[in-house]
Amino acid sequence: MRMPRLALTLPALLAAIALVATAALWTVTDAGAASKPAAKAARKPVAHAASSYMTGLGDESPEMFSDADAQQLKTRIARYIAPYDAVAHSYSLDKAKAWIRYAEGQHMQILVAFYHSEYSPTRLPSVAQYKHDVEKFIRRFPRVHQYQAWDESNRGNIRGVLASPSASATAQYYQALIRVCKGCTAVGLDVLDANDIAPTLQYISEFKREIGKLRTVMPKIWGLHNYSDINRFESWRTRELSHALGGQIWLTETGGIVQFGGAFTNRNGSGLRRAAKVVSYMFNVAASQRQIARLYIYNWLGGNTRTRFDAGLTDNHHRPRPGYLIVCKHLHAAKCNVKTTSH
């Protein structure tokens, strides 16, 4: 759940604050407000005997790759969110170059998800402009072969802060992507679950209908962010959305929320302990659903007490949190007896 870079002016700073506050309402409402039919009551996921999925990390900081705690996990997949027009702006391009250089140095399979411009986040590109800029990015990084047309495309518009594409526009971006990146793995629609999944289901339906109108290739791999589901220790949203998407599912963002507004707090380290339990549950959910082939834990570097959304496996000083130990042991790393921070 990447927040846009809007730090150029004071109004932009205020807009960023509005963004985070609004995003909190859209993505994960009050933890006690979730309602579901009795048939969807939470139950412990049961792993399938043949379940198999890859685990990776998502983070926009290249520092992750030089962290010894991250290195010992020996993950082989990583996800980066890039502005669709990154090549047109030196700041965005330099960030992407540094991250991709470090990831390639560790022989990672890189998944790049395109997102709004860091300089004009409220203006969506035309299909022609998107195609032009994305093609330049793909040519600039020839060893990256896995892409997503738009990160969290169903996130919704936040007035004055960011715009999200309609399902129809996302389908057209997807078509443009596969046309300029022949031979690439193009993950289809990338959606956020939210507490109420009805709008997400509608978005998926509209996307597929537009793909049919465009007479383009229906995606075989789909991206899902299931924060709302697993952070309530539930799996029915993930299951229903996976069924609606069809094909192979990559949990392109997932993880335990340490702190998120008033819904998930971190008083006296309670958020750290809760997030660690969520991470354990996350692995159980992934193992219980055959469609899930990958999960990318978001994110590596966490924040501080003033950070609105924080799901980091480490704090802002790179100190491991309890959730890191769960990941470390799950991946059978050699040294998981590291000291963790408790606040």
Side-chain angles (χ1 to χ4, degrees):
M1 187 178 293
R2 178 176 178 269
M3 301 304 175
R5 176 178 175 267
L6 295 169
L8 301 178
T9 64
L10 178 58
L13 280 172
L14 296 175
I17 294 171
L19 161 66
V20 182
T22 308
L25 294 173
W26 193 92
T27 307
V28 184
T29 56
D30 186 1
S35 61
K36 56 186 179 296
K40 296 176 181 176
R43 59 179 181 268
K44 185 177 180 180
V46 178
H48 292 292
S51 63
S52 177
Y53 59 88
M54 297 178 69
T55 299
L57 299 172
D59 200 291
E60 281 67 65
S61 172
E63 297 172 318
M64 172 178 70
F65 298 108
S66 59
D67 192 314
D69 290 323
Q71 289 177 351
Q72 79 148 342
L73 299 179
K74 299 187 184 301
T75 55
R76 287 292 171 260
I77 58 174
R79 181 175 182 264
Y80 181 76
I81 304 172
Y84 74 88
D85 61 350
V87 177
H89 301 285
S90 59
Y91 175 82
S92 299
L93 178 59
D94 287 345
K95 284 199 305 182
K97 284 166 60 177
W99 194 97
I100 291 173
R101 183 173 65 249
Y102 276 100
E104 289 179 339
Q106 294 190 17
H107 308 289
M108 295 280 183
Q109 289 185 43
I110 298 168
L111 172 62
V112 171
F114 291 114
Y115 203 34
H116 60 66
S117 172
E118 293 186 298
Y119 293 86
S120 54
T122 60
R123 188 174 69 247
L124 292 171
S126 66
V127 175
Q129 185 64 51
Y130 173 91
K131 184 177 180 180
H132 173 78
D133 287 337
V134 164
E135 185 172 20
K136 289 174 67 176
F137 187 100
I138 291 167
R139 288 179 177 175
R140 181 65 181 78
F141 301 103
R143 289 186 287 183
V144 178
H145 302 292
Q146 298 175 356
Y147 288 98
Q148 292 181 283
W150 201 275
D151 174 68
E152 286 186 0
S153 59
N154 68 323
R155 184 175 182 177
N157 296 325
I158 302 176
R159 187 176 180 181
V161 180
L162 75 81
S164 294
S166 66
S168 175
T170 304
Q172 293 176 66
Y173 291 160
Y174 167 78
Q175 183 183 58
L177 172 62
I178 62 176
R179 285 179 172 175
V180 299
C181 199
K182 293 180 173 61
C184 290
T185 297
V187 180
L189 192 59
D190 186 70
V191 292
L192 183 65
D193 61 353
N195 185 19
D196 177 9
I197 63 171
T200 306
L201 290 169
Q202 179 64 30
Y203 196 96
I204 292 168
S205 177
E206 291 173 1
F207 175 89
K208 288 187 172 183
R209 188 160 53 248
E210 184 65 21
I211 289 292
K213 291 179 181 178
L214 294 171
R215 297 183 179 179
T216 196
V217 179
M218 185 67 71
K220 295 181 179 179
I221 305 173
W222 304 84
L224 173 61
H225 302 183
N226 64 340
Y227 291 116
S228 287
D229 207 25
I230 63 167
N231 279 279
R232 292 185 172 88
F233 297 98
E234 296 172 349
S235 60
W236 63 271
R237 295 176 185 83
T238 303
R239 188 168 55 253
E240 290 199 11
L241 290 171
S242 296
H243 177 74
L245 289 166
Q248 190 177 112
I249 302 297
W250 292 6
L251 298 177
T252 45
E253 279 190 31
T254 187
I257 296 174
V258 173
Q259 182 171 280
F260 194 19
F264 299 95
T265 60
N266 186 29
R267 295 187 181 92
N268 300 317
S270 61
L272 298 176
R273 296 186 292 273
R274 182 188 61 246
K277 293 178 181 178
V278 170
V279 169
S280 180
Y281 186 79
M282 169 194 75
F283 286 128
N284 290 336
V285 171
S288 71
Q289 300 188 27
R290 288 189 177 94
Q291 280 181 263
I292 296 173
R294 293 190 181 190
L295 66 83
Y296 295 81
I297 302 170
Y298 192 87
N299 61 337
W300 178 253
L301 188 63
N304 54 35
T305 56
R306 296 184 300 277
T307 302
R308 182 79 174 180
F309 178 85
D310 184 352
L313 293 178
T314 67
D315 66 12
N316 61 328
H317 297 292
H318 297 270
R319 294 176 298 196
R321 289 168 164 175
Y324 170 81
L325 289 183
I326 303 298
V327 177
C328 188
K329 292 175 182 178
H330 180 83
L331 296 178
H332 307 292
K335 299 178 181 178
C336 296
N337 58 341
V338 296
K339 183 178 180 182
T340 61
T341 182
S342 58
H343 296 285

